Amino acid sequence: EKLAAMKPSWPKHTKRAYHAITRGWIANEIFRRVHPEKLTIGEFLNAEIASKFHVDAYIGCDKKNFYGHKNASTRYSMVHAVRKSLGMSSGVETSAIYMMSKTWQFAKLIKNAKPSLKKLDVLDFCNDMTLRTAEHPSANGNCSARGLAKLASFMANKGKSHDGEELMTESTWDTMHDNSTVDYIIMDHKVGFTQGGAAKFEEGDR
């Protein structure tokens, strides 16, 4: 209700923008209102994709669906960012300078936040079991590497797997990837977003 009552704040050239957390909540409320059985996005993902295609991909889940994982704490991320900068083997793909710049940006964002948020360690918070079991459609996937790889193969082949299973029709895939926005700056990168919420990168972009 609070999100629905807020006045939208749009970028200059479009009425589509990146909302890392809130877009999932909004989409979920729309989805469960129009679904015949009133399923949430997480319930639909489990019933229609995870179960039917044997894909280990869940949004919010009970403990049996958790997979072995390494908690990416802030300390771990910073140490491995330094290793990356020095050309050593690393568990992250970002340099120390990039990591520090993003940490500084986040610190500025929460400068005037409530006292409880100022003590927030975002990475440790995201590893919290309470958060992992809750349903946050835009930011709380609990997946195995194999599960994500299978979903990626469906999307890379316009909705079909290599052995003929169909996740979506090609026309649905095309609609999902149509009508991209102009480049939108997010974390120093230019990204266009399609009407289906997919990030669109031109050939050669990284």
Side-chain angles (χ1 to χ4, degrees):
E1 292 178 358
K2 290 184 177 179
L3 284 174
M6 292 175 68
K7 182 179 179 181
S9 175
W10 305 113
K12 291 181 179 180
H13 306 296
T14 182
K15 285 195 173 181
R16 194 180 303 148
Y18 181 73
H19 299 267
I21 305 296
T22 55
R23 70 171 183 172
W25 295 336
I26 294 170
N28 196 46
E29 291 306 308
I30 296 171
F31 185 91
R32 69 186 184 90
R33 281 167 171 76
V34 300
H35 191 276
E37 298 175 26
K38 308 301 180 186
L39 298 183
T40 64
I41 292 176
E43 290 169 338
F44 180 87
L45 176 66
N46 186 31
E48 298 296 328
I49 298 178
S51 298
K52 289 185 177 180
F53 296 101
H54 306 291
V55 173
D56 303 325
Y58 307 91
I59 297 175
C61 59
D62 52 35
K63 201 165 185 177
K64 68 181 181 181
N65 290 330
F66 287 159
Y67 295 96
H69 67 285
K70 171 75 175 180
N71 284 355
S73 65
T74 300
R75 182 179 183 278
Y76 173 90
S77 299
M78 289 302 297
V79 168
H80 281 259
V82 171
R83 291 176 63 89
K84 176 75 173 180
S85 298
L86 296 175
M88 302 167 67
S89 62
S90 173
V92 301
E93 287 296 315
T94 53
S95 68
I97 293 175
Y98 182 86
M99 185 76 74
M100 286 187 289
S101 71
K102 296 308 163 189
T103 302
W104 173 247
Q105 287 179 17
F106 178 74
K108 289 195 296 183
L109 283 174
I110 65 170
K111 182 178 180 181
N112 298 315
K114 294 180 179 180
S116 58
L117 289 179
K118 290 184 179 180
K119 298 178 182 179
L120 176 65
D121 184 313
V122 177
L123 293 177
D124 288 340
F125 177 66
C126 289
N127 290 319
D128 183 81
M129 284 297 190
T130 302
L131 182 69
R132 292 187 69 197
T133 56
E135 189 171 324
H136 303 284
S138 187
N140 194 30
N142 290 272
C143 315
S144 68
R146 185 181 297 276
L148 286 178
K150 187 166 184 178
L151 283 180
S153 71
F154 275 116
M155 298 310 294
N157 290 287
K158 297 197 171 185
K160 290 185 174 62
S161 69
H162 68 280
D163 54 5
E165 292 180 298
E166 185 176 77
L167 178 67
M168 64 178 70
T169 65
E170 186 170 336
S171 62
T172 299
W173 189 97
D174 288 336
T175 300
M176 177 182 176
H177 289 81
D178 196 16
N179 192 25
S180 175
T181 60
V182 295
D183 288 340
Y184 179 70
I185 304 297
I186 173 172
M187 296 185 75
D188 300 331
H189 298 288
K190 286 185 177 182
V191 181
F193 287 100
T194 70
Q195 61 190 10
K200 181 179 180 180
F201 298 94
E202 299 300 331
E203 192 70 30
D205 286 348
R206 185 176 186 272

Coordinates of all heavy atoms in Angstrom, one line a residue, residues 106 109-122 125:
F106 N 27.2 3.5 -1.5 CA 26.1 3.0 -0.6 C 26.2 3.7 0.7 O 25.1 4.0 1.3 CB 26.4 1.5 -0.3 CG 25.4 0.9 0.6 CD1 24.1 0.6 0.2 CD2 25.8 0.6 1.9 CE1 23.2 0.1 1.1 CE2 24.8 0.0 2.8 CZ 23.5 -0.2 2.4
L109 N 24.3 6.8 0.4 CA 22.8 6.6 0.3 C 22.2 6.4 1.6 O 21.0 6.9 1.8 CB 22.6 5.3 -0.6 CG 22.7 5.5 -2.1 CD1 22.5 4.1 -2.7 CD2 21.7 6.4 -2.7
I110 N 22.9 5.8 2.6 CA 22.2 5.5 3.9 C 22.7 6.6 4.9 O 22.4 6.4 6.1 CB 22.5 4.1 4.4 CG1 24.1 4.0 4.6 CG2 22.1 3.1 3.4 CD1 24.4 2.7 5.4
K111 N 23.3 7.6 4.5 CA 23.8 8.7 5.4 C 22.7 9.2 6.3 O 22.8 9.4 7.5 CB 24.4 9.8 4.6 CG 25.0 10.9 5.5 CD 25.6 12.0 4.7 CE 26.2 13.1 5.6 NZ 26.8 14.2 4.8
N112 N 21.5 9.4 5.7 CA 20.4 9.9 6.5 C 19.3 8.9 6.8 O 18.1 9.2 7.1 CB 19.7 11.1 5.7 CG 20.7 12.2 5.4 OD1 21.4 12.7 6.3 ND2 20.7 12.7 4.2
A113 N 19.7 7.6 6.8 CA 18.8 6.5 7.0 C 18.5 6.4 8.5 O 19.2 7.0 9.3 CB 19.3 5.2 6.4
K114 N 17.5 5.6 8.8 CA 17.3 5.3 10.2 C 18.5 4.6 10.9 O 19.3 4.0 10.2 CB 16.1 4.3 10.3 CG 14.7 4.9 9.8 CD 13.6 3.9 10.0 CE 12.3 4.6 9.5 NZ 11.2 3.6 9.6
P115 N 18.7 4.8 12.2 CA 19.8 4.3 12.9 C 20.0 2.8 12.6 O 21.2 2.3 12.5 CB 19.5 4.5 14.4 CG 18.6 5.8 14.3 CD 17.8 5.6 13.1
S116 N 19.0 2.0 12.6 CA 19.1 0.6 12.4 C 19.7 0.2 11.0 O 20.5 -0.7 10.8 CB 17.7 -0.1 12.5 OG 16.8 0.4 11.5
L117 N 19.4 1.1 10.0 CA 20.0 0.8 8.6 C 21.4 1.2 8.5 O 22.1 0.7 7.7 CB 19.1 1.6 7.6 CG 17.7 1.1 7.3 CD1 17.0 1.9 6.3 CD2 17.7 -0.4 6.9
K118 N 21.8 2.2 9.3 CA 23.2 2.6 9.2 C 24.2 1.5 9.6 O 25.4 1.5 9.3 CB 23.4 3.9 10.1 CG 22.7 5.1 9.6 CD 23.0 6.3 10.4 CE 22.3 7.6 9.8 NZ 22.6 8.8 10.6
K119 N 23.7 0.6 10.4 CA 24.6 -0.5 10.9 C 24.5 -1.7 9.9 O 25.1 -2.8 10.2 CB 24.2 -1.0 12.3 CG 24.4 0.1 13.3 CD 23.9 -0.4 14.7 CE 24.1 0.7 15.8 NZ 23.6 0.3 17.1
L120 N 23.7 -1.6 8.9 CA 23.5 -2.7 8.0 C 24.7 -3.1 7.1 O 25.2 -2.2 6.5 CB 22.3 -2.3 7.1 CG 21.9 -3.4 6.0 CD1 21.4 -4.6 6.6 CD2 20.8 -2.8 5.1
D121 N 25.0 -4.3 7.2 CA 26.0 -4.9 6.2 C 25.2 -5.6 5.2 O 24.6 -6.7 5.4 CB 27.0 -5.8 7.0 CG 28.0 -6.4 6.0 OD1 27.7 -6.8 4.9 OD2 29.2 -6.4 6.4
V122 N 25.1 -5.1 4.0 CA 24.2 -5.6 3.0 C 24.5 -7.0 2.6 O 23.6 -7.9 2.5 CB 24.3 -4.7 1.7 CG1 23.4 -5.3 0.6 CG2 23.8 -3.3 2.0
F125 N 23.5 -9.3 5.4 CA 22.0 -9.3 5.5 C 21.4 -10.2 4.5 O 20.5 -11.0 4.8 CB 21.5 -7.9 5.3 CG 20.0 -7.7 5.3 CD1 19.3 -8.0 6.5 CD2 19.4 -7.3 4.2 CE1 17.9 -7.8 6.5 CE2 18.0 -7.2 4.2 CZ 17.3 -7.5 5.3

